Amino acid sequence: MFTGIVTDIGQIERIEQRGDLRIRITTAYDTGTVALGASIACSGACLTVVDKGPGWFDVDVSGETVSKTADKWREGARLNLERALKVGDELGGHIVTGHVDGVATVVGIRPDGDSRRIGFAIPAALAPYLAPKGSVTVDGVSLTVNDVTDQPDGTAHFAVNIIPHTAAMTTLGDLAPGDPVNIEIDVLARYLSRMQARS
């Protein structure tokens, strides 16, 4: 379980093709306090630490994860990192599971005061789960949806505002039109949809 509050930006140092991808990620975390088997959200995908050393940890990324997430699994890529929530931690964002629901694409970026307003196109399967002032996780970052515009083909566009602090402390400040991002819908919206489908 996570909150969508990024606490480090890691970088992929190397990738080994095994049965799965073995990926080494450099980090500013004190890895002496990271247990083997611990969960770390890597740009929104919950991954398990399988090896570690000073300033780095390794994760295995399955083919399923690669197929369901944005194209971020390459050497040099920067990843938003968040360690798993501990009992008693401040819940500063919203409840995030680290299970990526799909991939959205940046369709526009424009200044909005000191912030950046970023628009995304989201697949039709995820469109019903977004609502203005609701929560969404973009590349592991908890954000508030500003607006949602349904498209004729069933997809939707939604927009968020990225304040300067968020742009500086996450990879969202590096986004450009056409970039893919990992999306996790609000877990409450997921359960409400399931309940309505069965009623």
Side-chain angles (χ1 to χ4, degrees), residues 108-156:
I109 302 174
R110 65 174 174 81
D112 189 356
D114 291 332
S115 301
R116 297 177 192 171
R117 190 175 183 90
I118 304 182
F120 300 92
I122 194 165
L126 299 182
Y129 298 97
L130 294 179
K133 305 309 174 189
S135 296
V136 67
T137 308
V138 177
D139 274 352
V141 182
S142 172
L143 297 167
T144 300
V145 177
N146 284 346
D147 59 60
V148 181
T149 306
D150 291 323
Q151 303 298 306
D153 62 357
T155 65

Side-chain angles (χ1 to χ4, degrees), residues 50-186:
V50 297
D51 198 5
K52 64 174 186 169
W56 61 269
F57 63 92
D58 285 355
V59 295
D60 287 335
V61 182
S62 70
E64 173 71 7
T65 298
V66 171
S67 72
K68 300 297 186 191
T69 57
D71 179 24
K72 299 182 184 298
W73 313 117
R74 58 189 185 280
E75 290 185 6
R78 299 168 75 234
L79 303 173
N80 295 319
L81 302 181
E82 181 187 356
R83 295 179 66 174
L85 185 66
K86 296 191 293 288
V87 174
D89 284 352
E90 179 180 346
L91 187 61
H94 70 283
I95 295 172
V96 174
T97 64
H99 301 156
V100 174
D101 292 300
V103 176
T105 304
V106 177
V107 292
I109 302 174
R110 65 174 174 81
D112 189 356
D114 291 332
S115 301
R116 297 177 192 171
R117 190 175 183 90
I118 304 182
F120 300 92
I122 194 165
L126 299 182
Y129 298 97
L130 294 179
K133 305 309 174 189
S135 296
V136 67
T137 308
V138 177
D139 274 352
V141 182
S142 172
L143 297 167
T144 300
V145 177
N146 284 346
D147 59 60
V148 181
T149 306
D150 291 323
Q151 303 298 306
D153 62 357
T155 65
H157 290 181
F158 74 95
V160 298
N161 271 44
I162 306 298
I163 63 172
H165 176 80
T166 302
M169 301 304 292
T170 72
T171 63
L172 300 187
D174 301 332
L175 289 177
D179 284 348
V181 294
N182 293 323
I183 296 291
E184 180 183 329
I185 58 174
D186 188 351

Side-chain angles (χ1 to χ4, degrees), residues 1-83:
M1 198 68 69
F2 306 92
T3 67
I5 303 298
V6 171
T7 51
D8 187 30
I9 298 178
Q11 187 166 22
I12 296 179
E13 183 175 73
R14 75 178 190 208
I15 299 175
E16 296 177 27
Q17 181 66 62
R18 304 183 178 190
D20 294 320
L21 296 181
R22 172 66 57 91
I23 296 180
R24 177 156 297 176
I25 300 169
T26 59
T27 180
Y29 290 150
D30 175 4
T31 53
T33 66
V34 176
L36 292 178
S39 296
I40 296 180
C42 300
S43 285
C46 176
L47 299 174
T48 301
V49 175
V50 297
D51 198 5
K52 64 174 186 169
W56 61 269
F57 63 92
D58 285 355
V59 295
D60 287 335
V61 182
S62 70
E64 173 71 7
T65 298
V66 171
S67 72
K68 300 297 186 191
T69 57
D71 179 24
K72 299 182 184 298
W73 313 117
R74 58 189 185 280
E75 290 185 6
R78 299 168 75 234
L79 303 173
N80 295 319
L81 302 181
E82 181 187 356
R83 295 179 66 174

